Amino acid sequence: MRREGSGGLWRSGDLFVWLSGGALALALLMVAGLVGLVAAHGLAYFWPRQVEHLALADGTVVLGEVVEREAMPGSAGAYRIKVKQGNRDLTGQDFRWIPEALIVTRTRPREAMVVERREWGHLYGTLRAVADGERIVAQGPQAWPALFPALREAQALVARIRRLERVEVGAINRRQERIRLALRRLELRGVRAGPEVDRLHAEAAAWQARYEAVRAEVERLRARQTAAAIVTVADGREVRVPLAQVVRVVRPNALSWAGRLRVYGSRLWEFFTAEPREANTEGGVFPAIFGTVLMVLLMTVVVTPLGVLAALYLREYARQGPFTSAVRIAVNNLAGVPSIVFGVFGVGFFIYLVGGTLDRLFFPEALPTPTLGTGGLLWASLTLALLTVPVVIVATEEGLAAVPPGMREAALALGATRLETTVRVVLPAVLPSILTGLILAMARAAGEVAPLMLTGVVKLAPALPVDGTPPFVHLERKFMHLGFHIYDVGFQSPNVDAARPMVFATTLLLLGVVICLNLFAIALRARLRRRLVVAGV
């Protein structure tokens, strides 16, 4: 009976239905598990944890956040906890494993505070006083309410100094560099003296005077940064924390749920909009978001006409034969070439050959410092366009093959030229397929890292590729990328434990960016399909 039942299942094809359904379910579970793991770790990174006070049997005291608990290796039934104790400038390490058997008391004091600093990571302790220089402004219970006005004033000073250094000094440096290049250009022409040289020297002196004035203003503002918080850490020492170095101060144990949500939202906003700090292990990733999105958009602008025109020629104009078949095979094989190979090609062709030639032709005064003959956003986008163009060609060709020949014949019979038939009849019908190819291309480009490491991505970019300096879009600049940011933080950071939450948060963000770009393309494709259905194409 069992043999007949199995034979019936085989002959009816139900076995393959179950197998294919099981494979689909397994694939969905794997994807859901991956996204769930990344989301759980990434979103938890911003939640303010309770700060615990641990008194150990050896007399030491630890204050920090318990981030992990596991069974002790080689000790059955014993567990240990991983505590983020911070205070790296005092203890030398952010994290510490503590066997639970050594813990005598474990409490959560309401006055325990977390100080998020611009350098040296978190500081855990209790606030003793707020000082301005050597003068104590408030101490004891009055210190906490007095801390926030002083912190806001200190952060305003930091923002003002930062604006002067980044905007004012940056603009002065760029003008001085232009003057230096102009003088160098005249020197290459043999002009070493004259009214033009004198004018440039006078202009350079004026900008130098302006730089000295801005630097004096920065020094004056820095002299006003005297406010500090005096914090008592776990071992009883008092630490003076300049408020100019403080990003945020939180008492997690005293927060309500609404307060925790406010801190969560504040940290999340900082993650999206701020620049990274502490070797990318803390702060935000805005430059990486900006660089990733801009690079994908540039790649899309380049790869769309290139891939569509190539597919049109192969399907509509080229004589079908061994040569076109060989070209199709080459295009399909190109999609399987390792991405690092495209990176090597980008360095050799785009950067050294094209960029180096343009430097010699148009920027000789800047040499030996390269302008275009080095990695940058433009060359990275072109390299990724080359990497993804097979995807667009194949998808477009599939769409062209699906267009009924009768549509072309009808258009030609009505007197349309071949170009008019292609532009007004064939291309509108194949637009959904083109967008499908672009969706796949954008997804691959956003996640690629290897070719970017050779063609322009950096760990920290001093400026965005778009700013207020003419010509406003600087495609020659190096840029940050979310994928490389994940690699750098996860594998190049000296503090792996501190960097791990940032890895998950950035990974989740990269997934979100890819999904958003794809959803935009899918929505556009659906809209085009509806228009084509209405038009009867």
Side-chain angles (χ1 to χ4, degrees):
M1 291 293 290
R2 188 180 305 165
R3 197 176 306 163
E4 289 178 359
S6 301
L9 192 64
W10 179 269
R11 285 192 297 274
S12 66
D14 290 344
L15 179 62
F16 290 102
V17 175
W18 282 102
L19 283 175
S20 57
L24 176 62
L26 181 62
L28 291 177
L29 281 175
M30 291 172 65
V31 172
L34 170 66
V35 175
L37 176 69
V38 173
H41 286 81
L43 294 176
Y45 170 58
F46 306 101
W47 186 253
R49 296 172 181 268
Q50 297 276 352
V51 176
E52 301 198 21
H53 181 277
L54 307 173
L56 307 184
D58 59 1
T60 60
V61 176
V62 178
L63 188 68
E65 303 172 20
V66 178
V67 297
E68 195 175 340
R69 181 176 184 264
E70 66 174 23
M72 289 189 63
S75 301
Y79 287 85
R80 63 179 184 175
I81 58 174
K82 187 178 183 181
V83 180
K84 183 179 180 180
Q85 63 178 0
N87 307 0
R88 189 167 67 242
D89 49 335
L90 304 175
T91 62
Q93 55 183 1
D94 278 311
F95 294 85
R96 177 179 177 182
W97 283 101
I98 301 175
E100 287 186 336
L102 291 182
I103 300 174
V104 178
T105 61
R106 187 170 175 174
T107 58
R108 293 176 175 175
R110 288 178 59 84
E111 66 274 11
M113 62 186 290
V114 182
V115 183
E116 299 178 21
R117 300 180 289 184
R118 302 183 194 279
E119 296 176 355
W120 296 108
H122 290 186
L123 177 79
Y124 294 89
T126 55
L127 181 64
R128 190 186 74 78
V130 176
D132 187 2
E134 299 301 323
R135 181 173 64 90
I136 299 296
V137 176
Q139 59 183 340
Q142 288 76 32
W144 183 251
L147 176 62
F148 291 95
L151 181 58
R152 282 193 291 272
E153 184 178 350
Q155 289 177 339
L157 278 176
V158 169
R160 193 171 169 187
I161 292 173
R162 187 176 181 80
R163 187 187 62 80
L164 286 173
E165 291 180 334
R166 296 291 295 271
V167 180
E168 298 289 338
V169 175
I172 292 171
N173 288 337
R174 284 190 290 272
R175 294 303 299 264
Q176 288 179 324
E177 178 64 10
R178 288 183 183 179
I179 293 171
R180 186 188 71 82
L181 293 177
L183 287 170
R184 174 65 177 159
R185 197 178 302 118
L186 291 174
E187 185 180 344
L188 290 176
R189 295 175 186 168
V191 180
R192 298 178 181 274
E196 182 65 15
V197 175
D198 294 341
R199 184 188 66 80
L200 289 172
H201 279 301
E203 191 176 345
W207 283 108
Q208 181 63 29
R210 185 170 175 180
Y211 169 76
E212 296 296 338
V214 173
R215 194 177 67 170
E217 175 67 10
V218 170
E219 293 300 324
R220 187 184 67 79
L221 292 175
R222 281 183 176 158
R224 291 173 53 190
Q225 293 180 317
T226 54
I230 300 176
V231 181
T232 304
V233 297
D235 59 5
R237 284 184 286 175
E238 288 189 350
V239 179
R240 186 182 180 91
V241 184
L243 293 186
Q245 290 294 319
V246 176
V247 177
R248 188 180 293 104
V249 178
V250 181
R251 277 180 170 174
N253 300 344
L255 287 175
S256 62
W257 273 95
R260 291 179 184 278
L261 286 175
R262 281 196 297 273
V263 174
Y264 187 88
S266 172
R267 288 176 174 174
L268 198 61
W269 178 254
E270 180 193 12
F271 179 70
F272 285 128
T273 61
E275 296 182 356
R277 62 175 190 272
E278 286 288 290
N280 289 350
T281 59
E282 293 182 7
V285 293
F286 177 74
I289 299 173
F290 193 89
T292 303
V293 174
L294 187 58
M295 184 208 65
V296 171
L297 293 178
L298 283 174
M299 182 276 303
T300 305
V301 169
V302 175
V303 78
T304 303
L306 187 62
V308 172
L309 290 176
L312 276 174
Y313 182 80
L314 282 175
R315 179 62 62 175
E316 299 291 321
Y317 298 105
R319 179 178 296 176
Q320 303 301 313
F323 179 74
T324 51
S325 298
V327 171
R328 284 196 180 91
I329 292 172
V331 169
N332 291 331
N333 287 335
L334 200 62
V337 173
S339 59
I340 190 68
V341 176
F342 287 92
V344 173
F345 176 81
V347 171
F349 180 74
F350 291 125
I351 295 178
Y352 290 159
L353 181 59
V354 180
T357 303
L358 292 175
D359 275 351
R360 287 188 291 275
L361 290 176
F362 299 105
F363 308 102
E365 68 278 6
L367 293 175
T369 303
T371 303
L372 293 172
T374 184
L377 180 63
L378 176 62
W379 305 136
S381 301
L382 291 178
T383 303
L384 285 187
L386 191 65
L387 186 148
T388 55
V389 73
V391 179
V392 180
I393 292 175
V394 172
T396 307
E397 265 213 282
E398 293 293 332
L400 289 170
V403 177
M407 292 179 62
R408 299 179 179 85
E409 295 167 358
L412 293 172
L414 290 173
T417 64
R418 199 169 182 183
L419 177 62
E420 290 172 335
T421 302
T422 301
V423 173
R424 298 189 177 182
V425 177
V426 177
L427 268 183
V430 84
L431 274 179
S433 298
I434 294 174
L435 287 175
T436 300
L438 285 182
I439 291 169
L440 297 174
M442 287 191 297
R444 183 170 184 191
E448 281 293 345
V449 174
L452 302 181
M453 294 169 67
L454 303 178
T455 55
V457 76
V458 289
K459 177 186 178 76
L460 282 173
L464 294 175
V466 179
D467 59 17
T469 305
F472 308 113
V473 179
H474 307 276
L475 299 182
E476 78 284 0
R477 285 183 183 173
K478 298 184 185 300
F479 65 103
M480 293 181 67
H481 183 269
L482 285 172
F484 182 76
H485 189 272
I486 294 169
Y487 162 78
D488 176 67
V489 174
F491 298 98
Q492 301 295 313
S493 174
N495 194 347
V496 177
D497 289 327
R500 190 180 304 161
M502 180 65 85
V503 171
F504 284 107
T506 310
T507 304
L508 184 63
L509 177 61
L510 179 58
L511 288 175
V513 170
V514 173
I515 290 172
C516 287
L517 289 172
N518 286 350
L519 285 178
F520 174 75
I522 289 170
L524 185 60
R525 182 179 62 182
R527 185 176 178 182
L528 286 172
R529 278 180 174 163
R530 285 196 297 272
R531 290 179 59 184
L532 292 176
V533 169
V534 172
V537 178

